[in-house]
Amino acid sequence: MEAQFEAVIAADARVEPRDWMPEAYRATLVRQIAQHAHSEIIGMQPEGNWLTRAPSLRRKAILLAKAQDEAGHGLYLYAAAETLGVDRAELTEKLIDGRQKYSSIFNYPTLTFADVGVIGWLVDGAAICNQVPLCRCSYGPYARAMVRICKEESFHQRQGYELLMTLMAGTDAQRAMVQDAVDRWWWPSLMMFGPPDGASPNSERSMAWRIKRHSNDELRRRFVDMTVPQAEHLGVTLPDPDLAWNEERGGWDFGEPDWSELQQVIKGDGPCNAQRIERRRAAHEDGAWVREAASAYAAKQPAREGSAG
Amino acid sequence: MSGERASWPLYEVFVRPRRGLNHVHVGSLHAADDKMALLAARDLYTRRNEGVSLWVVRSDAITASSPDEQDPFFAPSGDKVYRHPTFYPIPEDVPHI
């Protein structure tokens, strides 16, 4: 059975739910997919913060559609995780109890409406860099969920960039607001790719299993190369004095993110960790009566149909 | 909280992208009953006009072949090459065949 699994991986074919797979492969996928799903769900909060205060009906409708997409992405991913034999309700409990993590980026606050644009441009841009290779992940259900997600992420990034272009065409105060948001989100966005390759112990095995296709540093470089010209076009300055074109490599050199900050946020000491989890817990608990009512209604239906017939 | 665990059955969702095509499996979701499954499937899998028709079916109602017996189960068709048109050599100058 193991030989068959290895053969599927070697042939770059897909592993499907009921195939035999090594326990560590299954555990790695559950951890990664659950973390990814939790990130989508928690990711609704920073932007949700601006839903009632978006400056126009157009912006409000766009932001609402985006938050609905994030919820949808979370559900595609929970569905993929369930094919590995875990229960969705259990994953939610683990998130609320702090036993499973979500992307550290969502522990930063959204202080102004420009943050909504910068999240779309940088955070969703970084997510796209991370996620496009996952469409070819060796585990079929995860790869298929990622295909759907990537199709929708493009809207997220473009609406963010368009929002920022609109602000940049506005007043000096609006341009300053965009620059301030870029200054705060740039480094956390680079950290979204995870620790540097030398400090990412599980990467090698994930790459051997073709869950991951590129290293953290490789994806980070790709993101910087994509983003620099976009920043120039927008007219903002990326807050990195070491940013310089490397003729030899044909790419941009950039400074080192503050990895101690990443560790701190992952450990739970980011600006918004407690608030995000508390909000998720409250939403889950406040929704209990809806779940109970739906269950009670469903349980009553066969009896009612029986008595009518 | 543990009381509600797994109390909502799992449904598989199939979407017909447009008239003339088959329904295709797109994923799964949990719902309390069939009607709720259909509404949730609409919200989850057709936010961008991905379909003109939806099927939802409880996962436990599906009977599937086992991956463990993949080879023996499908073996009967494996050695019947004569079921394929390419099995029959026809001279190239014979038209329309």
Side-chain angles (χ1 to χ4, degrees), chain A residues 18 69 82 93 152 295, chain B residues 5 8 30 47-48 65:
Chain A
R18 298 196 306 155
D69 274 354
E82 282 198 316
E93 283 174 23
E152 300 178 355
S295 295
Chain B
R5 272 245 196 114
W8 283 9
H30 286 274
R47 284 194 304 283
R48 289 179 174 78
S65 63

Side-chain angles (χ1 to χ4, degrees), chain A residues 21-165:
Chain A
M21 59 189 87
E23 265 319 299
Y25 177 83
R26 185 186 299 274
T28 299
L29 279 167
V30 168
R31 187 176 48 82
Q32 181 171 338
I33 299 173
Q35 177 168 335
H36 197 159
H38 297 329
S39 300
E40 301 282 357
I41 297 298
I42 296 288
M44 286 191 280
Q45 291 186 32
E47 292 171 293
N49 190 30
W50 285 94
L51 273 177
T52 58
R53 289 176 288 161
S56 67
L57 185 58
R58 179 176 181 268
R59 294 292 170 195
K60 190 176 294 207
I62 291 169
L63 194 52
L64 193 57
K66 184 169 187 289
Q68 285 174 323
D69 274 354
E70 311 294 3
H73 296 176
L75 293 177
Y76 304 154
L77 289 163
Y78 284 131
E82 282 198 316
T83 64
L84 292 160
V86 292
D87 180 69
R88 196 171 310 196
E90 184 189 331
L91 297 179
T92 298
E93 283 174 23
K94 283 185 173 164
L95 167 65
I96 292 173
D97 295 346
R99 282 178 287 158
Q100 281 179 342
K101 306 232 176 271
Y102 55 89
S103 175
S104 57
I105 192 80
F106 300 115
N107 290 316
Y108 291 88
T110 40
L111 302 181
T112 71
F113 193 68
D115 288 33
V116 171
V118 170
I119 287 178
W121 173 39
L122 295 181
V123 175
D124 292 315
I128 290 170
C129 263
N130 260 331
Q131 290 173 348
V132 166
L134 289 173
C135 296
R136 294 182 297 125
C137 164
S138 61
Y139 188 58
Y142 190 29
R144 292 192 286 274
M146 292 318 305
V147 170
R148 298 185 68 85
I149 291 174
C150 285
K151 275 186 195 162
E152 300 178 355
E153 286 289 353
S154 172
F155 142 59
H156 297 182
Q157 194 186 20
R158 289 175 67 115
Q159 68 81 33
Y161 196 78
E162 189 244 20
L163 192 164
L164 297 176
M165 287 198 309

